Amino acid sequence: MFKKLFQSATIYVSSTILNAAVPFFLIPIYTRNMSTEDYGLFSMFQMVLLIFGPVVGLSIHGAVTRQYFERDKIDFAKYVTNTLLVLLSSTVIISVLNSVFSNIIFNLTDLNWRWIQLAILVAASQFLFQVVLVLFQVQHQPYKYGAFLISQSMLNGILSIVLVVNFNMGWQGAVLGLSISYILYGFIGIFIIKSQKLLKFQYSYSYIKHAIKFGVPLIPVVLGMALINVSDRLFIKNIVGIEAAGIYTIGYQISMILMIVINSFNKAWVPWFFERLKLDQLIVRKRIVKFTYFYFIIVIVAAVVLGILSPYIISFYVAEEFHDASKFVLWISIGYAFNGMYKMMTNYVHYAQKTHLNFGVMIIVVPLNLILNNLFITHFGAIGASYASALSFLLAFVLMWVLSSKVYSMPWFSLLKKR
């Protein structure tokens, strides 16, 4: 039953790890060619990009995933094309808003209008990039998925090294390397979508309405998760300083090792999971529950192990001025473990097409995270941000578990009943 899942998961995990290896191996190059302040500015650009990601495109690439399984009932090519029309409209609107609020954004991030505008363009390109990855994922083409993913990351790595090291452009070179690679692959993505005959320029109000109805309720959810992921650095920058934000970001990126594996597995899990739920068989649901509990144990143990090993990894891997980053890894990793558990629960809500219910979780968790960040960083320093993230992700997981059980019944306590 799980053979096909693990075969796909192995490919997804391998390709995602190889993809992540490129920016991971850039860390020692960056830390030896940038000051902590430079790295803090680079982290601010990444933070802005993470926030704009769910807004540009209105998070509707997930609707493409879901509607692929309804392609025998709809005109799937027309549906994909209309999601691209939504992307174009949202990109223009966000660009205009950036012009209006550029001074406020600069005061928060130290990034001027041009860099924010570049982040918006990159976010639009990432949408196209994600649509192509989604198509490869649901079509069970993990090798194409891996090739597309890894080649983009390698281009990012090559460009970044040349600009940062050879041209001595510091954080700006890192930003440009990242941006150029995504923008180029956004254009390549359009050609791939066209090659699959999924460009059908016929406006459809009903398809746009469905995509927006699916995606817009996810914006507070994805944006909420993004805020939890980035608010820590924003608070650190404004309470402790930009240098502390740069050091914290290194600990954050080391912790990303765990998140990379979690996200890779989830990419293989989703299509397999949706297909099994469609069978509507009790014995299948029981097996899924048993596996889910096993998954929870594995990610928690992995988080603790990564936290224990982090001082050795960081002392070997980055410049000496960034060594303090190791103290952040344990709690950030535990937070990521809870985030992985949260994502397992959100899949039920997505399958039931009740994404608007996710808002209830974020409306509780995000304000709490902001309060905890301000409180903990003020009293404990930068490490307080990692405490706030772990607690916030734990609460999100618990609330989403309760919510998912309401929209899709699963035998979560069948093992206890059996005993």
Side-chain angles (χ1 to χ4, degrees):
M1 177 181 177
F2 291 99
K3 183 178 179 181
K4 185 178 179 181
L5 169 65
F6 282 109
Q7 287 176 341
S8 297
T10 299
I11 299 171
Y12 283 121
V13 170
S14 300
S15 60
T16 307
I17 288 175
L18 288 173
N19 169 66
V22 175
F24 186 75
F25 285 124
L26 287 174
I27 292 176
I29 297 174
Y30 286 163
T31 57
R32 288 169 173 81
N33 289 274
M34 294 186 202
S35 65
T36 53
E37 181 179 356
D38 274 351
Y39 207 87
L41 288 168
F42 179 47
S43 74
M44 289 297 107
F45 183 85
Q46 292 175 307
M47 180 199 71
V48 169
L49 187 58
L50 193 60
I51 291 175
F52 279 124
V55 180
V56 175
L58 306 181
S59 294
I60 59 177
H61 58 270
V64 175
T65 304
R66 183 63 184 87
Q67 290 306 99
Y68 177 83
F69 295 96
E70 306 293 336
R71 63 191 182 279
D72 54 336
K73 302 177 183 178
I74 67 170
D75 189 334
F76 187 63
K78 186 192 294 187
Y79 189 92
V80 171
T81 304
N82 277 270
T83 63
L84 300 184
L85 294 177
V86 175
L87 169 66
L88 179 61
S89 301
S90 64
T91 302
V92 172
I93 293 171
I94 298 302
S95 296
V96 172
L97 291 175
N98 173 46
S99 300
V100 175
F101 297 105
S102 58
N103 288 335
I104 296 175
I105 298 174
F106 176 78
N107 290 333
L108 290 172
T109 65
D110 287 352
L111 298 175
N112 64 32
W113 176 85
R114 292 181 180 85
W115 292 111
I116 301 300
Q117 196 62 44
L118 179 60
I120 295 170
L121 182 58
V122 174
S125 302
Q126 285 181 328
F127 180 95
L128 295 167
F129 187 76
Q130 287 297 325
V131 167
V132 174
L133 292 179
V134 159
L135 291 172
F136 288 150
Q137 181 185 356
V138 295
Q139 293 167 359
H140 298 287
Q141 296 180 324
Y143 290 106
K144 290 184 178 180
Y145 179 102
F148 192 66
L149 187 68
I150 294 168
S151 58
Q152 182 276 329
S153 190
M154 289 182 65
L155 178 61
N156 170 29
I158 293 170
L159 290 173
S160 297
I161 291 173
V162 170
L163 294 173
V164 172
V165 178
N166 293 41
F167 289 89
N168 196 29
M169 292 182 66
W171 71 273
Q172 296 175 336
V175 167
L176 290 175
L178 175 70
S179 302
I180 293 170
S181 62
Y182 267 119
I183 292 170
L184 177 61
Y185 268 70
F187 283 109
I188 294 173
I190 293 175
F191 285 105
I192 292 175
I193 294 169
K194 183 179 179 181
S195 71
Q196 294 196 9
K197 299 180 179 180
L198 293 176
L199 286 182
K200 191 173 184 179
F201 292 99
Q202 294 180 7
Y203 174 80
S204 172
Y205 172 77
S206 61
Y207 285 170
I208 289 178
K209 181 180 178 181
H210 180 276
I212 291 176
K213 186 178 179 181
F214 186 100
V216 169
L218 288 175
I219 292 178
V221 179
V222 181
L223 188 58
M225 279 297 168
L227 284 172
I228 293 174
N229 277 303
V230 304
S231 61
D232 46 11
R233 279 163 284 175
L234 192 60
F235 274 99
I236 290 172
K237 182 261 177 186
N238 287 282
I239 295 176
V240 183
I242 191 70
E243 296 86 356
I247 295 172
Y248 180 88
T249 300
I250 293 297
Y252 174 89
Q253 291 179 318
I254 297 298
S255 304
M256 283 293 292
I257 295 172
L258 178 62
M259 201 66 223
I260 289 164
V261 176
I262 288 172
N263 287 339
S264 303
F265 178 79
N266 198 54
K267 286 179 173 62
W269 173 261
V270 169
W272 182 93
F273 175 71
F274 282 3
E275 289 172 355
R276 294 308 180 277
L277 288 187
K278 200 169 184 179
L279 297 175
D280 195 23
Q281 296 176 358
L282 179 60
I283 188 171
V284 173
R285 293 200 298 270
K286 285 185 176 180
R287 289 175 180 174
I288 290 174
V289 166
K290 289 180 182 178
F291 179 81
T292 302
Y293 286 138
F294 174 73
Y295 172 84
F296 289 170
I297 296 171
I298 290 296
V299 294
I300 290 293
V301 171
V304 174
V305 171
L306 181 59
I308 293 172
L309 295 178
S310 63
Y312 307 100
I313 297 172
I314 289 178
S315 63
F316 170 77
Y317 203 63
V318 303
E320 186 175 353
E321 59 185 320
F322 291 90
H323 283 184
D324 282 348
S326 62
K327 64 184 179 182
F328 304 118
V329 175
L330 175 61
W331 286 102
I332 297 175
S333 297
I334 290 175
Y336 277 147
F338 290 138
N339 189 22
M341 295 156 69
Y342 162 89
K343 288 181 177 180
M344 289 287 277
M345 297 299 107
T346 62
N347 291 328
Y348 293 98
V349 176
H350 291 182
Y351 182 81
Q353 302 191 61
K354 302 289 185 180
T355 53
H356 62 281
L357 298 176
N358 293 29
F359 180 73
V361 174
M362 288 300 105
I363 203 170
I364 296 172
V365 174
V366 173
L368 177 64
N369 175 257
L370 298 177
I371 294 170
L372 291 178
N373 265 303
N374 185 51
L375 181 64
F376 287 176
I377 294 172
T378 301
H379 285 82
F380 302 115
I383 197 170
S386 60
Y387 302 155
S389 295
L391 288 173
S392 300
F393 282 128
L394 171 61
L395 178 60
F397 160 61
V398 173
L399 292 176
M400 184 52 67
W401 195 351
V402 174
L403 178 63
S404 67
S405 67
K406 300 293 184 181
V407 299
Y408 196 92
S409 179
M410 290 291 286
W412 291 113
F413 303 106
S414 60
L415 294 177
L416 295 176
K417 291 179 180 178
K418 184 176 180 181
R419 290 179 181 177

